[in-house]
Amino acid sequence: MPIAEHLKPSLIELLLAAADDKLMLGHRNSDWTGLGPILEEDIAFSSLAQDEIAHAQTLYEFLSPIAAKDENELAFGRTAEEYRCATIVEPHDEFDWAAAITRQFFCDHFDRLRFRRLAQSNHKPLADLAKRIGAEEQVHVDHADSWMRRLGRGTTEAKERAQKALDQLAPLTATLFEPVDGEPALEKDGIYPALEQPMIELWRREVDAVLKDAGLSAAFTDVDPTKKGGRRGIHSKAFSELLDEMCEVYRIEPGAKW
Amino acid sequence: MSKIRQNLDLGQAETPIDAEPLGDLTPYVVFTQLKAKGPHLYAGWLEAADDGMAMLLAKEHYGQDQECTNIWSIDRADLASSDGLYAIENPPSGETTYRVFTQKNKGDIFLEAAEISANSAAEALEKARQAKPQAAKAHCVWVAPVDRIISSEPGEVIWRFTDQTYRLARGYTRSVKEKWKQFRDEESLNEYEKEDLKEEF
């Protein structure tokens, strides 16, 4: 089913949120290249970071004709207020492995559900794309779950570090669930159909099950619908710094071909 | 990658470079099957803390960059080789089914060749040499108990759909060639346009 003209601005918001989350998370996690806790995980985590960036690229390419903007312009040519990523992907993890894994764990479980919803979209090209990304998301979830269990069941130090990371990051998970402008209309129209239960409930059940298995816990906060955050262009100071650095080369000559 | 890495204090190496290796990681050998019903081919080695981590990393390192239908990983301690390099640390007792892998010539990759029943790894190697033509002529033979080979699950996604071949030598070369072609084509077009304009004005 083609997308109705009046729904296009909301769809752009929704897909920018997905792409921006992935671009920022991939960018942050790529900082671990060469610094992973063991050689094999160093390679694996770098690959996962590249996956996130590749997924973002695919989503920007999909959006390009709808938004009438080149995919590079979408990725690097916007002001901070025009990005739709959630606050949780913005801060640097300060090279704390437990923090990096915990953030990846929260975001991967969220993405698996997000792409499950999009895979049921009545807009077939979007559903097909979401199915492909969703299948790879499972690999990410398996990887993150495995590490959460390892940290939780590991040494006292590993468990303490994992719990500290969970305590710090759990309150930020609400930012993943902040709706973009026009999201109810996309849901109603079947472009972004609802799941069998509210997404946040499914997500909490999934992550809680893994954390319980790992001997860890997290205190989540509810989404405050009155508070505007990343999904509506309000970002942290860390984000502006991240963006300035990430877009440094692009801004020298926008539109340059590589 | 961000500039924050430049300020990272990596400290001093805690151990001298000639120290004995430490840690609880175990080497695993990985085989990938590129087509259903095809043989599993040697892909490489990795180190992991246990079987679960080994399969996770095997999928990341060896599965995701090329389309494949199955992955096996085998703990080095479960491998016996005809050149005596590897021996099974805790051999299974009684008659056991072993999977046989053969290396035709020195430097070739190992291929899955057959299954054989034997009472020990040494017997499996001997029987393989006698009964299987590929093993008889092979430069080297490996055997591993079938029930100790870790396999990926059917239907699991173990390769990427996004093109990340730029990370491999062949992908990088292709990408660079394409960029050069694009550059040369653009230059030729500019020259043509210049000539064309000369004629007009």
Side-chain angles (χ1 to χ4, degrees):
Chain A
M1 184 184 277
I3 302 157
E5 209 56 41
H6 72 281
L7 290 172
K8 281 185 181 175
S10 307
L11 180 64
I12 292 170
E13 294 284 307
L14 184 77
L15 296 186
L16 278 181
D20 293 348
D21 278 355
K22 282 184 165 287
L23 180 63
M24 301 310 159
L25 189 64
H27 182 76
R28 282 300 193 205
N29 287 349
S30 70
D31 269 353
W32 278 94
T33 302
L35 302 170
I38 55 169
L39 175 65
E40 311 291 359
E41 180 56 27
D42 187 297
I43 301 166
F45 203 61
S46 298
S47 291
L48 294 177
Q50 285 179 315
D51 280 352
E52 298 293 4
I53 294 168
H55 289 170
Q57 185 186 4
T58 312
L59 288 162
Y60 290 133
E61 282 169 359
F62 183 87
L63 266 176
S64 177
I66 305 169
K69 278 185 179 173
D70 171 64
E71 61 266 23
N72 285 309
E73 193 185 346
L74 286 170
F76 304 116
R78 286 176 286 155
T79 62
E81 300 73 41
E82 290 172 317
Y83 281 83
R84 295 293 175 260
C85 48
T87 311
I88 192 169
V89 298
E90 296 175 6
H92 200 278
D93 55 37
E94 306 295 335
F95 299 106
D96 178 339
W97 181 243
I101 285 295
T102 301
R103 174 159 63 180
Q104 187 72 29
F105 168 72
F106 285 148
C107 293
D108 285 338
H109 276 272
F110 177 82
D111 268 334
R112 186 168 63 173
L113 290 170
R114 167 157 58 188
F115 287 101
R116 184 147 78 81
R117 283 182 77 174
L118 288 169
Q120 293 166 21
S121 175
N122 59 11
H123 183 54
K124 194 172 178 303
L126 178 58
D128 290 345
L129 176 68
K131 276 176 202 153
R132 283 155 59 204
I133 295 180
E136 286 196 1
E137 220 48 69
Q138 184 59 47
V139 180
H140 290 207
V141 167
D142 290 345
H143 185 269
D145 285 0
S146 159
W147 266 103
M148 285 313 299
R149 290 193 177 98
R150 255 167 225 291
L151 294 175
R153 295 174 189 169
T155 61
T156 310
E157 186 190 356
K159 188 169 183 169
E160 280 173 5
R161 282 179 175 227
Q163 191 55 59
K164 190 178 157 203
L166 285 162
D167 294 344
Q168 283 173 345
L169 289 165
L172 288 180
T173 58
T175 65
L176 287 165
F177 294 91
E178 180 192 359
V180 296
D181 284 336
E183 196 170 309
L186 293 172
E187 189 176 309
K188 194 177 164 202
D189 201 73
I191 292 176
Y192 188 45
L195 295 171
E196 62 280 9
Q197 280 173 6
M199 195 170 158
I200 195 163
E201 285 177 22
L202 292 169
W203 179 85
R204 280 191 188 166
R205 199 177 308 148
E206 276 183 16
V207 299
D208 275 338
V210 179
L211 294 177
K212 191 179 172 194
D213 197 29
L216 298 163
S217 62
F220 299 112
T221 47
D222 289 328
V223 182
D224 178 356
T226 62
K227 197 179 167 194
K228 280 191 176 183
R231 300 285 190 236
R232 283 172 284 184
I234 309 296
H235 297 287
S236 59
K237 186 171 173 287
F239 181 69
S240 301
E241 289 164 5
L242 179 157
L243 201 62
D244 285 346
E245 191 174 34
M246 195 181 79
C247 303
E248 194 179 2
V249 176
Y250 177 85
R251 287 173 185 171
I252 294 169
E253 194 181 337
K257 294 267 185 291
W258 295 89
Chain B
M1 283 186 278
S2 61
K3 287 173 187 162
I4 200 168
R5 284 167 59 99
Q6 292 167 5
N7 305 325
L8 193 64
D9 180 13
L10 293 172
Q12 296 295 315
E14 288 170 5
T15 45
I17 205 154
D18 56 353
E20 281 294 307
L22 293 169
D24 50 6
L25 298 178
T26 305
Y28 286 79
V29 62
V30 179
F31 289 85
T32 51
Q33 183 191 42
L34 304 185
K35 285 179 184 167
K37 295 182 184 172
H40 286 69
L41 316 177
Y42 168 87
W45 289 85
L46 57 82
E47 287 193 323
D50 54 36
D51 292 356
M53 186 189 266
M55 180 46 71
L56 204 68
L57 294 170
K59 283 192 277 187
E60 269 300 327
H61 298 350
Y62 298 111
Q64 293 220 359
D65 284 329
Q66 62 178 347
E67 198 165 324
C68 57
T69 52
N70 198 43
I71 294 183
W72 285 341
S73 65
I74 308 170
D75 189 333
R76 190 176 68 186
D78 291 324
L79 205 62
S81 63
S82 61
D83 59 5
L85 198 59
Y86 310 124
I88 298 178
E89 285 177 15
N90 295 305
S93 57
E95 192 165 335
T96 305
T97 308
Y98 289 85
R99 192 149 276 141
V100 181
F101 301 92
T102 56
Q103 183 189 38
K104 192 174 176 189
N105 298 304
K106 192 177 179 183
D108 287 350
I109 61 163
F110 281 81
L111 302 175
E112 173 196 3
E115 274 183 18
I116 212 150
S117 225
N119 287 307
S120 68
E123 190 186 308
L125 286 166
E126 189 55 40
K127 273 180 144 178
R129 288 274 196 204
Q130 285 169 4
K132 306 291 174 189
Q134 308 99 302
K137 295 180 198 163
H139 170 74
C140 188
V141 181
W142 287 349
V143 292
V146 166
D147 61 2
R148 294 192 189 175
I149 296 174
I150 312 143
S151 180
S152 56
E153 297 293 325
E156 268 185 307
V157 173
I158 46 182
W159 68 88
R160 291 182 172 84
F161 78 83
T162 47
D163 180 16
Q164 292 184 34
T165 49
Y166 62 84
R167 304 192 310 171
L168 308 171
R170 63 184 158 87
Y172 181 75
T173 311
R174 190 184 63 215
S175 170
V176 169
K177 270 185 189 163
E178 277 169 13
K179 296 278 176 203
W180 270 112
K181 188 177 177 306
Q182 216 175 330
F183 178 72
R184 288 194 192 105
D185 288 352
E186 210 165 314
E187 237 181 13
S188 313
L189 184 68
N190 289 343
E191 283 303 312
Y192 173 79
E193 279 176 350
K194 255 193 243 168
E195 291 300 314
D196 206 31
L197 286 171
K198 261 188 212 167
E199 282 173 20
E200 286 291 325
F201 302 100

